[in-house]
Amino acid sequence: MRIKSAIVVATALVLALVGCGSGAQSEGEGASRPAPKVVPLGPFVGECGHVTDEEVRDLGGLGQLSGVFRNGVGCNWQSAGIGSASITFASYRGSPIERERAWVTVKGRAPDPITVAGHTGFAALDPSGQICDLAVQLGDDFFEWSTYGGTFATISGNPCDRSRALAELTLQRLQ
């Protein structure tokens, strides 16, 4: 008899819990969260910004390349030697360029507004003149070229000029 009572009580509890958790909404009630924003994709900037290793080496002033690293969103080129120069490309889909602008500001690089081939963005040069982050807006997307002159200033001149030349090449080759 105890087993029958336990089964009846367990069944009643299960039915009570199922009834309380049904979560049914009447037609007048809406969802508690707004619908996510659907962002149309911008133009395809290609792997490594549609720029070849040789173009990065030459336009970036890297000399001999010791390493080229690629992944789904970016590329990095390293020149040979300890503390050597490097150049990085990154593409950001559906990401606000303002977040990147805030990040470079926190790092001590004052972003200056720029326009490259009709597209707005910013260039941020660090106070030592060794690092430049140059970002270009493409609708809801943006891409960035970052040039680092190296610990021993192995790249001469303003690294933003080099990043800009690479950004211009990327924009010429958009798909």
Side-chain angles (χ1 to χ4, degrees):
M1 190 77 169
R2 282 186 168 173
I3 293 176
K4 285 185 182 180
S5 296
I7 291 173
V8 170
V9 170
T11 304
L13 283 173
V14 168
L15 290 174
L17 288 173
V18 168
C20 289
S22 69
Q25 293 181 341
S26 66
E27 278 187 42
E29 294 179 37
S32 61
R33 288 187 238 153
K37 179 183 172 189
V38 177
V39 178
L41 295 178
F44 180 59
V45 295
E47 181 182 70
C48 301
H50 287 300
V51 178
T52 68
D53 296 347
E54 293 76 25
E55 290 168 328
V56 171
R57 184 192 65 225
D58 296 342
L59 290 172
L62 294 180
Q64 181 182 354
L65 293 177
S66 66
V68 178
F69 308 97
R70 293 176 170 84
N71 66 30
V73 295
C75 301
N76 178 268
W77 295 265
Q78 297 282 323
S79 118
I82 297 172
S84 63
S86 66
I87 295 179
T88 303
F89 171 82
S91 173
Y92 301 89
R93 290 252 188 220
S95 182
I97 196 172
E98 294 309 315
R99 181 175 20 216
E100 189 69 14
R101 186 186 315 267
W103 185 85
V104 298
T105 301
V106 167
K107 293 296 182 181
R109 302 175 203 139
D112 292 320
I114 60 165
T115 301
V116 181
H119 297 276
T120 60
F122 68 84
L125 182 64
D126 80 319
S128 72
Q130 287 300 302
I131 302 170
C132 178
D133 297 306
L134 189 138
V136 176
Q137 186 80 51
L138 297 171
D140 287 323
D141 306 337
F142 75 95
F143 68 86
E144 179 178 43
W145 282 99
S146 182
T147 302
Y148 169 58
T151 304
F152 306 108
T154 55
I155 294 179
S156 62
N158 184 336
C160 287
D161 293 340
R162 297 179 183 283
S163 290
R164 185 181 187 93
L166 292 164
E168 288 171 351
L169 213 53
T170 296
L171 289 169
Q172 288 172 13
R173 297 172 180 172
L174 285 179
Q175 295 179 353

